[in-house]
Amino acid sequence: MTTDLIQVLIALLAGIGVIILLTAKYRVHALFALFLACFVTGLIVQLSVADIITAMKDGFGNIMKSLGFIIVLGTTLGVLLEHTGSTRVMAAFILKIVGERYAAVAMSLTGFIVGLPIFCDSGYIVLSGLNQSLAKRTGISVVIMSVSLATGLYAVHCLIPPHPGATAAAGAIGADFGKLMLMGIGVAIPAAIAGSWWAHYAGKKIPVVQQTETSEAANSPAPPVWLAFLPVVVPILLIAIGAFTNIEKTTNGTLRFFHTLGDPVLALSVGVLLAFAGGRGWNKTTTGKLLGEAAEKAGGILVIIGAGGAFGAVLAAAKIGEHVSAAVPLGSFGIVFPFLLAALLKTAQGSSTVAIITAASIVQPLLPALGLESDMGRILCILALGGGSMTLSHANDAYFWVISKFSGLEMRTMLKVYSIATLWMGLVTLLVVYLLSLFLL
């Protein structure tokens, strides 16, 4: 092991240790813990202070650019749905269909289906109000409900096009998109089951005080079922249409219009407007108060997510992938190497998309040495990369903080339940891909 590799690994462990120590033990706000971790990690790998600050600004800005408006609009949608009683109506309808006993399983399945066309961040934000309402109504721990939903969304986000990581990897490695999607769904199912299983197993051991709905909310007029679901279903459908239509290859004006509406920002904006239809007696005082509440709530989430992006950018500047590829005998690992490389990159810098894209660029010229140069080998390689990009989601992952803040879960609980769930998901994915490789290669 080279001195440079040892140095970046020490820096990684030190940064993660600072975050966990300050947030879990000393209850320091995550923004400041992440901020300090950036400097600790950067200085250990001998980045200059100027370079650290530049990386932090870029990381913070990139997260704001990709998730800023989505967080604000998603938060607003949740506040409005809660105020109008729509989440209560949706919860009652779903429970009527599946029964209270299987509410957590229903959320995992919902997350899996919803996650097919949209990012896990967007999907969780859209469904978080419904998730909280179901947890209150059934008495099932919000830990179990939240992690079941989160892992259902996460499984498809890391493995299946049109999500950017799998899509970019397929382009870089040269795999068939259709086959990748079909096999990706098959591999994502056991991954989602593993995440939901751990949520049930570990979540039931953690006592959580359930919030109770106020009598005002329970007795207020509620919208009909179709109107309650509309602000959630329409944005999801619009985003799905946007994801599966190629605006560059069509001259159909209608398709181009819906492709534009499929942008998550516009789709969520439509959802916010539809949410107003579920309430009555709107006036400027009520509207202003609710929008102000949503903006304040979103602001607290954004600063933490932005700081997580800053920390990830500092770690990326350490060029961990280059050090690993130079130090490890790649040819002897086969299907395991893509998984390990993506897992290391994911754990180091937080983004599953960045992890799989970066790892794919490293693995592509190594496919013959790894024995993965065939068409099926390339697909299995991408699925192994996707499994690695699940492992391990923790404090430098924006999605980690989306789940934490929208569910009200503490750092310690997130690490014990959600982070370990993503580890199980990654390992199950690796096992499934390895077994497939025995028959298909």
Side-chain angles (χ1 to χ4, degrees), residues 109-316:
L109 178 60
T110 301
F112 191 97
I113 295 171
V114 169
L116 288 170
I118 70 175
F119 283 13
C120 54
D121 311 78
S122 305
Y124 195 90
I125 292 166
V126 170
L127 295 171
S128 61
L130 173 59
N131 183 62
Q132 291 281 2
S133 186
L134 279 172
K136 294 173 187 177
R137 183 179 180 90
T138 61
I140 298 174
S141 169
V142 70
V143 178
I144 297 175
M145 295 291 289
S146 298
V147 176
S148 293
L149 171 60
T151 51
L153 287 159
Y154 195 50
V156 293
H157 179 82
C158 295
L159 290 169
I160 304 171
H163 292 287
T167 303
I173 291 178
D176 182 88
F177 276 67
K179 293 179 181 178
L180 178 60
M181 288 187 68
L182 292 175
M183 290 193 65
I185 291 174
V187 173
I189 291 173
I193 292 173
S196 182
W197 166 79
W198 182 258
H200 282 79
Y201 176 78
K204 65 184 179 182
K205 298 182 178 182
I206 299 176
V208 177
V209 178
Q210 298 286 356
Q211 299 177 349
T212 57
E213 295 179 288
T214 63
S215 58
E216 179 182 355
N219 297 324
S220 59
V225 172
W226 70 270
L227 190 55
F229 273 95
L230 202 63
V232 175
V233 173
V234 169
I236 291 172
L237 290 177
L238 290 175
I239 293 172
I241 293 172
F244 287 104
T245 55
N246 191 333
I247 194 172
E248 296 178 356
K249 295 184 179 181
T250 181
T251 57
N252 187 301
T254 302
L255 284 180
R256 294 177 70 89
F257 173 75
F258 280 105
H259 179 88
T260 302
L261 280 181
D263 184 286
V265 173
L266 287 177
L268 286 171
S269 298
V270 171
V272 169
L273 293 176
L274 291 173
F276 279 102
R280 302 176 183 176
W282 293 104
N283 55 60
K284 62 181 182 181
T285 301
T286 301
T287 303
K289 179 181 178 182
L290 290 172
L291 295 179
E293 177 187 340
E296 292 175 4
K297 183 178 180 181
I301 297 170
L302 286 172
V303 294
I304 296 175
I305 292 174
F311 182 50
V314 171
L315 290 173

Side-chain angles (χ1 to χ4, degrees), residues 310-367:
F311 182 50
V314 171
L315 290 173
K319 300 179 180 178
I320 293 177
E322 294 182 10
H323 291 296
V324 172
S325 61
V328 178
L330 308 178
S332 61
F333 282 81
I335 201 71
V336 177
F337 175 74
F339 173 87
L340 292 176
L341 179 58
L344 179 61
L345 291 167
K346 164 65 179 180
T347 304
Q349 53 77 49
S351 170
S352 296
T353 300
V354 172
I356 191 172
I357 291 174
T358 304
S361 66
I362 297 173
V363 168
Q364 192 277 331
L366 304 171
L367 290 175

Side-chain angles (χ1 to χ4, degrees), residues 322-411:
E322 294 182 10
H323 291 296
V324 172
S325 61
V328 178
L330 308 178
S332 61
F333 282 81
I335 201 71
V336 177
F337 175 74
F339 173 87
L340 292 176
L341 179 58
L344 179 61
L345 291 167
K346 164 65 179 180
T347 304
Q349 53 77 49
S351 170
S352 296
T353 300
V354 172
I356 191 172
I357 291 174
T358 304
S361 66
I362 297 173
V363 168
Q364 192 277 331
L366 304 171
L367 290 175
L370 295 170
L372 301 173
E373 71 273 22
S374 66
D375 290 343
M376 189 55 64
R378 293 170 189 271
I379 292 174
L380 293 176
C381 177
I382 295 171
L383 294 175
L385 289 170
S389 74
M390 296 177 185
T391 317
L392 177 73
S393 178
H394 62 94
N396 65 346
D397 184 355
Y399 187 46
F400 179 97
W401 294 110
V402 168
I403 300 164
S404 174
K405 294 306 170 183
F406 276 88
S407 302
L409 301 181
E410 295 183 350
M411 175 78 162

